[in-house]
Amino acid sequence: MIRLASLATVLAGCATTACGGAGVASSGTTAPATARTAGSDDWRRVATSADRDRLRRWREAWMTALPRARAADPAAVAAQGTLFAPDAALSGGAAPAGRYRCRVFKLGGAGSAMRDFTAYPAFDCRISDEGRVRSFFKESGSQRPVGLLFPDGDRTVFLGTLLLGDERAALQYGQDRDRDMAGVLERVGERRWRLVLPYPRFESLLDVIELVPAE
């Protein structure tokens, strides 16, 4: 299995350059093109065994988290329409490179202190071309996913890590399972996508990030 051993350089570059092309690592060295660094555009050769398991249990996460979110705030969940419909993904139309406005929704509280439905205000994020794969980077906030988007038929698989607080360099993927992230990016409307993250390590059973073009 290929882990993202040297891809940490690219992820660190994302943290300091918003994932625009070949990143510049915190050491000041220029990161190689992401597709060459990863060695493959097949996410299965890159993902950790824990993340492959999370992706296999994608539907289970929906079926567990969604009823709890509906019970907590039925009107807010219904207002999002297809965003929270597990089988609403549309074929074709991978999210293009560019700037997006993104909203994070957390469904199904993990732990007694967490609510079963939480919606956050919109923030800025970016998708960039990195050769055979693309990168995703949340540009602000206390929790900022950063990672790669791998083509996989009509869907796109996301593998990355989580930046916290004022951190500027991403941890190496596979180094800390509490920071590793895995999910699926799907089109759910004419200009609307969602990044679904099953069983994140913190706060919820399912995270859904809505993406709409900023322009």
Side-chain angles (χ1 to χ4, degrees), residues 10 13-24 31 34 126-130 135-137 139:
V10 175
C14 288
T16 56
T17 66
C19 292
V24 178
T34 303
R126 179 188 294 273
I127 292 177
S128 298
D129 286 323
E130 307 285 354
S135 59
F136 172 82
F137 178 57
E139 296 181 326

Side-chain angles (χ1 to χ4, degrees), residues 6-14 16-17 19-37 130:
S6 55
L7 187 55
T9 304
V10 175
L11 294 181
C14 288
T16 56
T17 66
C19 292
V24 178
S26 57
S27 64
T29 59
T30 300
T34 303
R36 292 198 304 271
T37 305
E130 307 285 354

Side-chain angles (χ1 to χ4, degrees), residues 92-202:
R99 299 182 66 87
Y100 289 81
R101 294 293 288 166
C102 301
R103 292 190 297 166
V104 173
F105 299 88
K106 291 182 176 289
L107 283 61
S112 58
M114 298 305 301
R115 294 186 296 174
D116 282 326
F117 181 76
T118 304
Y120 291 93
F123 56 83
D124 294 325
C125 59
R126 179 188 294 273
I127 292 177
S128 298
D129 286 323
E130 307 285 354
R132 289 183 294 172
V133 297
R134 286 167 293 145
S135 59
F136 172 82
F137 178 57
K138 181 177 181 288
E139 296 181 326
S140 60
S142 60
Q143 298 183 16
R144 303 182 305 283
V146 53
L148 297 181
L149 297 166
F150 296 81
D152 187 46
D154 285 331
R155 68 176 189 171
T156 301
V157 171
F158 170 79
L159 298 174
T161 62
L162 185 64
L163 285 164
L164 297 175
D166 59 359
E167 293 176 345
R168 295 184 58 81
L171 291 177
Q172 176 180 318
Y173 177 79
Q175 178 181 351
D176 184 345
R177 61 182 298 165
D178 286 339
R179 296 291 193 95
D180 289 346
M181 306 188 77
V184 177
L185 181 64
E186 305 169 315
R187 186 170 71 92
V188 293
E190 185 66 27
R191 287 167 54 85
R192 193 186 195 194
W193 289 263
R194 68 183 181 195
L195 177 57
V196 181
L197 301 161
Y199 300 113
R201 300 300 181 193
F202 306 105

Side-chain angles (χ1 to χ4, degrees), residues 69-91:
R70 283 178 175 149
D73 198 335
V77 171
Q80 298 307 317
T82 57
L83 186 67
F84 295 149
D87 298 315
L90 302 173
S91 61

